[in-house]
Amino acid sequence: MASAYSALLLVFFFWISETVSSQQSQTPSIELGSSLSTNSQPTSWHSPSRRFAFGFYQQGSGFIVGIWLANKPDATITWTINRENPHVTSNATLELTKKGELVLRRHRNNAADEEELIAKDLKGSASYAQMLDSGNFVLYNERSEAIWESFNFPTDTILGGQNLNAGSELLSSASAIDLTTRRFRLRMQDDGNLVLYPVDSLDLPLYAYWNSATYGYPGLHLNLAFTGDLLLVNKTLHTIQTVLFSGSKSISTSIIYRATLGYDGVFRLYSHNFDGATEYIISLKWYVPREQCDVRGFCGFNSYCTMINDDQPDCLCLPGTAYVDPNRRFHGCERNYNEGSCKDTNEMASLYNITVMEQIKWGDNAYFKSSMSEESCRKSCLEDCYCAGALYESGSCNKQKYPVKYALRTGQDQSSKVFFKVALESIKSSNHSSAIGMAPSVIQRTSKKAVVQILVMSLAFITWCLVALSISGFFIYKSRVVKGRMQMESGNFGMALKVDVYSYGVVLLEIVFCRRNMEINVSKPEEILLSQWAYELLVERELERLDLGEDVDRQKLEKMVMIGIWCIQDEPDLRPSMKNVVMMLEGITDVSVPPRPTAASA
């Protein structure tokens, strides 16, 4: 069967070559100096059949620069530029310049024009361009050789005749109309495995929610054939595995196939049947995973997916949390109570209760694992201020801190239980929400002088806090040494010393970054978890993005961040003692770059 597919693929290869050559000769060329505009015609360049268009597609009050199927009022977008900022306002032009460059210009009133190079890393200059009927936009040199094509840079879609090469991936959009990259990715791994992951995860089996099981074949790439077959082929076009066999043995010029990673994390194959009609008919041919709730991370942090009536997915908050946005439940949930004190376990027991759930699991790495009784596991989570929930299974207690990722209902009878900690009454402060709501108007009324004063006061406060932390750290260490000796004498060995070092590291990072450990309303997904954002800024040497002023000692700032990250290592053995923390703060001990915490890469 594989040999037959390989032979068929070779036929496709030669057919594609001839078709591309034929299209190239028949397709009108876009000459150097040609341009498109948002304010006047033409706004796009069409393929010969007018099925595809490249240029400005109007969406809302702005425009998107990309490629779309153009035979319906609501176009199907297949490719876009600049996924992080795809929208442009009116008064923009797209030009194939006389120098052979494809440039987007945003014209601004009373300011210099902003230019963006669309086709980068060209091997030479372009002599002309064409929009092909395959949906591929191509730049050619003077010898009519393709030097750049949109098919080599897929966004969330591949079309018939297009490949997803080894090491490449598709990134889902935020929604049907918001084309910025978001939560899911389809990766053609170098080891030959085609895998679906949440976008903020590592390429590890732990985080995958679907795969083709073809690992061990390096260099494979995904090919969407003109017949609608999804094939994994090697460099010699030999088919290693058929992901989907459409059953079609012939190529129809009236059908276009499109495979897309949706904003919900599902990978779908569609057919667009023109068949001589003015508008095409869309049919869903295949999709994975088969159940929406199998998409890991579909429901966001601190929530889990469940199927309701008509097999529709719904996202429910875990006990002790509430929806970030009740109107968009898949955006996740946040804790509906303030974090308790870690100083007195008796106080914790008086503030919180335990709710038990069954048939719930999560895909996160537990920060604490130990063999103990069920009652000891319940009590351990109740008395631990960082414990969101504890999974008790087969005599093992696995504690998870906030935020809880990838929670799911297993739907199976099992002996496992999850103990979730819930506040006896909601004590969440409304002051934070009120401050956020007032921020825009306050900023608008604040003068430049006031802003400078605020920055100076903030810098002084941070400096004072750092000094106070150094002093308090020393006394905390002294007090813990005395307490530790007392515990050793009484035979009471505990873990009091994730927990003091860990909490110290969390507080240190919160003070340096002037924010909470978890923030939902951030500009980028990687900024949600402070540990992840802090580590990325540290290793990329971009701590100046904190904008704390010119008087901040960069070396001291880096040292504080490194100490904080050392303290929050998931492996307790990697965390420094409080004595070493004080010595690092005082400069007695050098501070090296810490390893990436598991929480920062999860």
Side-chain angles (χ1 to χ4, degrees):
M1 182 65 72
S3 299
Y5 284 140
S6 299
L8 183 61
L9 194 61
L10 285 172
V11 173
F12 288 162
F13 175 77
F14 291 116
W15 182 86
I16 291 169
S17 300
E18 294 179 0
T19 301
V20 170
S21 299
S22 176
Q23 281 194 31
Q24 186 175 343
S25 61
Q26 298 176 6
T27 303
S29 296
I30 302 166
E31 304 298 336
L32 299 184
S34 300
S35 65
L36 304 173
S37 173
T38 57
N39 297 326
S40 61
Q41 295 296 328
T43 59
S44 61
W45 292 309
H46 284 77
S47 66
S49 66
R50 303 191 69 81
R51 292 178 181 175
F52 284 97
F54 170 78
F56 293 107
Y57 172 71
Q58 187 166 7
Q59 189 176 77
S61 59
F63 295 84
I64 294 171
V65 178
I67 298 173
W68 62 92
L69 278 163
N71 289 58
K72 276 184 179 289
D74 297 327
T76 300
I77 298 172
T78 60
W79 184 83
T80 56
I81 67 163
N82 195 359
R83 295 289 299 284
E84 297 306 318
N85 185 25
H87 291 84
V88 297
T89 58
S90 57
N91 199 23
T93 58
L94 188 64
E95 181 182 0
L96 183 60
T97 68
K98 294 290 186 180
K99 296 181 180 179
E101 297 177 334
L102 188 61
V103 175
L104 171 66
R105 292 192 179 93
R106 295 178 173 90
H107 305 289
R108 305 182 183 278
N109 295 329
N110 302 322
D113 291 348
E114 179 183 334
E115 291 191 356
E116 179 181 350
L117 192 62
I118 305 302
K120 302 176 182 178
D121 300 325
L122 294 181
K123 297 180 179 179
S125 299
S127 294
Y128 64 97
Q130 290 181 336
M131 179 69 246
L132 304 180
D133 274 335
S134 61
N136 192 14
F137 186 78
V138 187
L139 298 180
Y140 299 95
N141 60 17
E142 69 279 1
R143 296 185 298 276
S144 297
E145 299 169 337
I147 57 174
W148 185 92
E149 49 189 304
S150 60
F151 268 17
N152 289 337
F153 305 93
T155 51
D156 62 356
T157 298
I158 58 173
L159 298 168
Q162 187 175 1
N163 295 326
L164 182 64
N165 296 325
S168 300
E169 59 187 11
L170 302 181
L171 295 173
S172 68
S173 297
S175 70
I177 59 175
D178 184 354
L179 302 182
T180 56
T181 56
R182 279 304 162 102
R183 300 186 294 159
F184 307 103
R185 57 195 178 100
L186 175 72
R187 184 162 184 81
M188 187 68 253
Q189 296 186 162
D190 291 324
D191 63 2
N193 205 13
L194 182 67
V195 191
L196 283 167
Y197 291 110
V199 76
D200 60 348
S201 68
L202 297 177
D203 294 355
L204 297 175
L206 172 66
Y207 305 111
Y209 60 91
W210 178 87
N211 72 91
S212 61
T214 50
Y215 34 80
Y217 295 93
L220 292 187
H221 58 264
L222 177 67
N223 172 261
L224 175 55
F226 285 100
T227 56
D229 295 337
L230 276 172
L231 308 173
L232 289 173
V233 300
N234 60 18
K235 296 179 180 179
T236 61
L237 302 180
H238 179 74
T239 302
I240 300 301
Q241 180 166 316
T242 302
V243 179
L244 171 67
F245 176 56
S246 66
S248 175
K249 296 182 179 180
S250 60
I251 301 172
S252 174
T253 58
S254 63
I255 299 178
I256 292 175
Y257 290 96
R258 174 177 61 94
T260 299
L261 178 60
Y263 63 88
D264 57 0
V266 178
F267 184 48
R268 298 178 176 89
L269 176 67
Y270 297 93
S271 67
H272 299 257
N273 193 338
F274 292 84
D275 198 21
T278 303
E279 295 185 359
Y280 52 82
I281 300 174
I282 304 177
S283 300
L284 177 62
K285 312 297 290 186
W286 172 86
Y287 61 96
V288 288
R290 305 303 293 182
E291 295 290 340
Q292 180 66 70
C293 284
D294 288 339
V295 176
R296 176 163 288 193
F298 170 72
C299 284
F301 291 167
N302 306 322
S303 63
Y304 65 96
C305 183
T306 186
M307 301 304 292
I308 56 176
N309 297 334
D310 300 325
D311 293 330
Q312 293 298 312
D314 191 18
C315 297
L316 302 181
C317 288
L318 295 173
T321 67
Y323 291 110
V324 175
D325 184 350
N327 296 321
R328 294 185 289 182
R329 294 156 74 99
F330 64 89
H331 277 203
C333 308
E334 59 183 349
R335 183 168 36 188
N336 61 1
Y337 61 88
N338 286 333
E339 188 174 74
S341 170
C342 289
K343 298 180 180 179
D344 190 347
T345 56
N346 293 325
E347 180 183 356
M348 297 290 292
S350 66
L351 292 176
Y352 307 112
N353 201 354
I354 289 293
T355 296
V356 182
M357 293 188 70
E358 297 181 349
Q359 300 180 355
I360 291 288
K361 285 191 175 182
W362 52 68
D364 307 52
N365 285 323
Y367 73 93
F368 173 87
K369 296 181 181 180
S370 180
S371 297
M372 61 179 67
S373 67
E374 181 177 317
E375 178 59 26
S376 297
C377 183
R378 186 196 71 81
K379 185 178 179 181
S380 178
C381 184
L382 179 63
E383 296 177 349
D384 184 351
C385 63
Y386 296 109
C387 181
L391 172 64
Y392 186 76
E393 186 175 28
S394 302
S396 177
C397 185
N398 305 274
K399 293 196 292 188
Q400 177 62 45
K401 59 179 176 287
Y402 283 107
V404 179
K405 293 183 178 181
Y406 316 139
L408 57 94
R409 180 178 288 276
T410 60
Q412 300 174 357
D413 293 332
Q414 51 188 321
S415 59
S416 65
K417 295 181 180 179
V418 178
F419 303 112
F420 286 105
K421 188 169 63 179
V422 181
L424 293 178
E425 60 179 275
S426 178
I427 56 175
K428 186 177 182 181
S429 174
S430 61
N431 294 335
H432 179 67
S433 299
S434 301
I436 293 178
M438 293 173 59
S441 59
V442 171
I443 292 175
Q444 291 174 2
R445 297 195 302 266
T446 302
S447 66
K448 181 177 180 180
K449 181 178 179 181
V451 172
V452 173
Q453 291 176 344
I454 292 173
L455 291 175
V456 172
M457 293 176 63
S458 299
L459 179 60
F461 175 74
I462 292 173
T463 304
W464 180 86
C465 288
L466 294 178
V467 173
L469 279 173
S470 301
I471 297 174
S472 63
F474 176 78
F475 286 105
I476 289 174
Y477 167 71
K478 289 294 186 182
S479 65
R480 292 306 178 190
V481 169
V482 175
K483 185 176 180 181
R485 289 174 178 172
M486 295 176 62
Q487 288 177 340
M488 292 179 66
E489 293 174 359
S490 62
N492 181 18
F493 301 101
M495 298 184 67
L497 183 59
K498 74 169 180 208
V499 174
D500 288 337
V501 173
Y502 189 95
S503 60
Y504 183 86
V506 172
V507 173
L508 180 58
L509 290 176
E510 287 181 336
I511 291 177
V512 172
F513 283 73
C514 300
R515 52 159 283 183
R516 296 183 299 177
N517 188 36
M518 177 184 174
E519 290 283 358
I520 299 296
N521 299 317
V522 293
S523 59
K524 297 181 179 180
E526 58 266 25
E527 297 179 9
I528 294 177
L529 291 179
L530 179 55
S531 58
Q532 174 176 332
W533 189 37
Y535 187 84
E536 294 300 329
L537 291 180
L538 176 66
V539 297
E540 295 177 7
R541 305 190 67 83
E542 294 183 352
L543 288 173
E544 65 273 5
R545 288 170 53 187
L546 295 179
D547 195 20
L548 298 178
E550 297 180 357
D551 296 333
V552 175
D553 189 319
R554 179 183 176 89
Q555 291 184 344
K556 290 184 178 179
L557 178 63
E558 286 187 351
K559 182 169 74 172
M560 293 297 175
V561 175
M562 288 191 290
I563 293 173
I565 295 177
W566 270 116
C567 291
I568 64 170
Q569 292 293 312
D570 291 271
E571 291 294 335
D573 292 341
L574 293 178
R575 302 173 195 161
S577 65
M578 284 305 303
K579 178 180 179 180
N580 288 335
V581 171
V582 174
M583 294 177 68
M584 287 189 288
L585 288 170
E586 293 179 345
I588 300 174
T589 302
D590 292 334
V591 186
S592 60
V593 178
R596 179 190 296 268
T598 303
S601 61

